[in-house]
Structures are given as structure tokens and as C-alpha cells.
């Protein structure tokens, strides 16, 4: 048995170390981490590479780190399917037809049907994710394990007792400000998403409307708004401002830009991946691997040579890693997926 944790660790900070410690204290089981790789659910390049984040996790409580395929790491995490009430869904649909903003429509529908306490419970990104995870676990033998968040709230710009939100820590790292008290270890190099802007705009300016329509979350003429803005915008942020409406949030649009840049279609995002790409493990993690029933990938190069049903997903992971290497002040070499050895953390008993 093991505790599975789906995460980004972007970057790995004190709150994540606390989460891993509490999970192990409460269950007595090893921690299996399914971590986003080079890009995250916000549609943004991760603040540092996946191997650095995996190593930090292994040194501070993780026992096995598996890469969440890029196609799913940048997917929308809406909780609409978790809301069973037909009345709630009807109210959401009515609001969305009028050009409403989904998170607000969800909250207001729940407030109307279920009251303020329930609405407040799903008003934060972390809780929306929790609702979606619980829904996904229905019909399985997996039991959810709630662990209360400590210190600063999600996306807060405040610190509390050595804890801070990942977004605030990312801003400190990218601005070169002191934040050692908020992380167990500081990444040596960090990305700057703006360094990818020209490449993103080039990609959009060379795409057709049909190619844009094939991306996840694109529809209702949005492809035309994006193409028109791409022809005038001088940065990704300016493009987002041009295209954003109540219906098309920044988060959704960032994911679309990431999908366009990576070449990720809706078809691939809805195709299951039948493998576990291992980034690192401990002795306890090795025991988890012995009981794994899906295909285990320890060599990206070898797996790609097999050219099977997993090739498209794994190729995207490799491409995402190579693209992320362009987002540093000093461009990093490509092919790190082929050159970086699996991490093995040996802890003293």
C-alpha cells in the first residue's frame, strides 16, 4: 500500500514537505508522488526542471516520483462533473450561456441550491481540485486522505510560520529575492516564462484556425480571437489581455497557449497513457514499483524506440522538457530526458 499524491511541487516548498510528512505519519505508508513535468496546469513553464523538483521531494518525504504526462498536467481541472445536483448544473448552464465565468457560476449556483457554507467550500482552487479528485475515486478502492493546508492561503502574497504559497515563492525566486526560510532547498536556476514569448507568438502566427480548433478548450470562435490577437500582440500577456473575457479566463487561455506551443491536441489529451515514467525512488519506492501493473519506463530513449501506443505521450513529455530548457537566462541543453539518470535516494534507517 502507498499514499498517492498528485502535485506540481512548483517549486517544492515547506508546505509540500509538511504534506509528505503528515501523509506518512497518518498512514504509515510510503508516499508515491505523481508530479507534473515541465509545464503546469496554469499553462506555464515550471519554475525549475522536473529532475530538480523530484530530487527535492525524494530528500524530504517522497518515496517514488512518477511524471504526470504533459497532456494531463496542462488539462483543465474543472469540478462540474462532481456536482450531482441537476438544479446546480442547470443554473451553471444558464449562467454560462449568458457569457458567465465558470468558477463564479459554480459558486453562485451552489450558494442558491446548497447554501453559503457549501459554496465557500468549493470557492478556492485547492478545494475545487479536492472535489474533482473525490469524484474520480468513486467506484475504486482508493480512499481520500484530507490534510489541512498550513500557513498562507493558495496564491496569497503573505508568509506565515515558514509557509507561503507556491505562486509567491515563484515570484521571489524569479526576482532574485530572499526566500530560503520558505523552501527546504533553493533551486540553482529558475525559468522566466517571458523568455518563451517570441516563440509562442511565432507558433500562433503560423497556425491555422483549423489547427487552433483542434486544441483542448478551444471552441465557439475563440480560435479567431486568438489568431487576430497573435497578429498584434507583442507578448503573451498582451495577447491574453486582448482575448480575455468573462467567459475566457486567463487560466484557460494560458493552457490553450501552452497546448498550441507544445503541439498538444484535444485528441491526445483524451487518450489514456498506459505507462509510469519514473523520475526517482527510495528503497520503499522500489517496493511500490515491484507491485506496479502498468508499463514502467526507466529509459525514455528505449521506450521511444519501441514505438508503441505510448509514443505520442512520451514524445510530448520529451518535447516539453526541451522547450522548457529555452526559458532560462542561459539556455539549457536539450535532451535532458535522455541524459539524466533516475534518482535513487538512500535514506539512513
Amino acid at each position: 500500500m502507498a499514499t498517492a499524491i498528485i502535485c506540481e511541487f512548483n517549486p517544492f516548498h515547506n508546505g509540500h514537505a509538511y504534506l509528505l510528512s503528515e501523509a506518512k505519519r497518518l498512514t504509515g505508508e510510503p508516499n508515491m508522488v505523481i508530479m507534473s513535468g515541465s509545464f503546469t496546469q496554469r499553462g506555464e513553464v515550471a519554475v525549475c526542471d522536473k529532475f530538480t523538483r523530484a530530487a527535492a521531494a525524494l530528500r524530504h518525504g517522497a518515496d517514488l516520483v512518477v511524471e504526470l504526462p504533459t497532456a494531463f498536467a496542462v488539462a483543465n481541472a474543472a469540478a462540474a462533473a462532481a456536482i450531482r445536483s441537476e438544479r446546480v448544473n442547470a443554473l451553471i448552464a444558464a449562467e454560462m450561456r449568458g457569457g458567465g465565468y465558470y468558477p463564479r457560476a459554480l459558486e453562485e449556483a451552489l450558494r442558491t441550491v446548497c447554501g453559503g457554507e457549501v459554496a465557500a467550500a468549493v470557492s478556492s482552487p485547492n478545494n475545487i481540485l479536492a472535489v474533482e479528485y473525490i469524484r474520480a475515486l468513486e467506484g475504486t478502492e482508493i480512499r481520500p486522505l484530507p490534510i489541512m493546508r498550513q500557513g498562507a492561503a493558495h496564491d496569497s502574497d503573505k508568509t506565515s510560520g515558514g509557509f507561503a504559497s507556491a505562486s509567491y515563492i515563484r515570484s521571489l525566486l524569479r526576482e532574485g529575492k530572499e526566500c530560503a526560510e520558505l523552501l527546504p532547498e533553493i533551486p540553482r536556476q529558475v525559468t522566466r516564462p517571458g523568455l518563451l514569448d517570441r516563440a509562442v507568438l511565432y507558433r500562433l502566427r503560423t497556425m491555422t484556425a483549423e489547427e487552433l480548433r483542434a486544441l483542448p478548450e478551444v471552441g465557439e470562435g475563440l480560435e479567431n480571437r486568438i489568431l487576430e490577437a497573435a497578429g498584434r500582440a507583442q507578448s503573451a500577456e498582451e495577447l491574453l489581455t486582448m482575448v480575455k473575457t468573462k467567459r475566457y479566463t486567463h487560466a484557460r487561455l494560458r493552457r490553450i497557449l501552452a497546448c498550441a506551443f507544445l503541439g498538444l491536441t484535444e485528441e491526445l489529451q483524451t487518450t489514456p497513457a498506459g505507462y509510469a515514467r519514473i523520475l526517482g525512488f527510495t528503497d520503499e519506492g522500489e517496493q511500490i514499483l515491484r507491485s506496479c501493473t502498468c508499463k514502467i519506463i526507466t529509459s525514455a530513449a528505449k521506450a521511444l524506440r519501441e514505438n508503441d501506443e505510448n509514443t505520442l505521450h512520451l514524445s510530448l513529455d520529451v518535447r516539453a522538457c526541451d522547450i522548457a530548457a529555452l526559458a532560462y537566462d542561459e539556455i539549457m541543453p536539450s535532451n535532458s530526458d535522455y541524459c539524466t539518470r533516475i534518482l535513487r535516494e538512500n535514506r539512513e534507517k
Side-chain angles (χ1 to χ4, degrees), residues 173-314:
L173 287 171
R174 285 168 171 156
E175 292 168 10
K177 295 182 178 179
E178 176 61 38
C179 57
E181 73 281 4
L182 304 174
L183 304 92
E185 46 195 87
I186 304 285
R188 288 181 298 175
Q189 295 173 302
V190 298
T191 61
R192 304 188 188 282
L195 294 177
L196 298 177
D197 278 10
R198 287 178 182 254
V200 170
L201 290 174
Y202 164 78
R203 171 63 178 156
L204 291 172
R205 290 184 180 190
T206 56
M207 292 181 74
T208 65
E210 183 179 5
E211 289 173 324
L212 276 169
R213 281 195 298 272
L215 301 177
E217 300 190 73
V218 174
E220 302 170 334
L222 179 57
E223 67 276 10
N224 297 318
R225 290 177 59 88
I226 293 174
L227 283 176
E228 194 277 333
R232 296 188 293 118
Q234 296 186 359
S235 69
E237 283 300 317
E238 184 178 3
L239 184 147
L240 293 172
T241 300
M242 290 177 178
V243 179
K244 182 185 180 299
T245 66
K246 288 195 300 181
R247 190 175 186 85
Y248 305 128
T249 65
H250 267 95
R252 176 179 175 180
L253 294 171
R254 282 196 188 95
R255 286 193 296 272
I256 291 171
L257 295 194
C259 290
F261 194 29
L262 295 170
L264 169 56
T265 63
E266 184 173 17
E267 180 181 5
L268 181 58
Q269 195 170 78
T270 55
T271 300
Y275 65 89
R277 166 78 189 284
I278 310 304
L279 298 180
F281 58 91
T282 65
D283 291 343
E284 286 187 282
E286 186 175 18
Q287 296 305 310
I288 300 173
L289 286 175
R290 294 182 188 279
S291 62
C292 186
T293 57
C294 70
K295 179 177 181 177
I296 295 175
I297 293 180
T298 56
S299 167
K302 180 181 178 181
L304 287 172
R305 285 196 298 269
E306 294 173 359
N307 195 27
D308 60 14
E309 67 277 5
N310 299 309
T311 297
L312 289 177
H313 273 296
L314 187 57

Side-chain angles (χ1 to χ4, degrees), residues 144-161:
L145 175 67
I147 296 177
M148 182 70 72
R149 185 185 183 96
Q150 298 295 307
H154 186 274
D155 279 344
S156 170
D157 61 355
K158 307 295 182 183
T159 65
S160 176

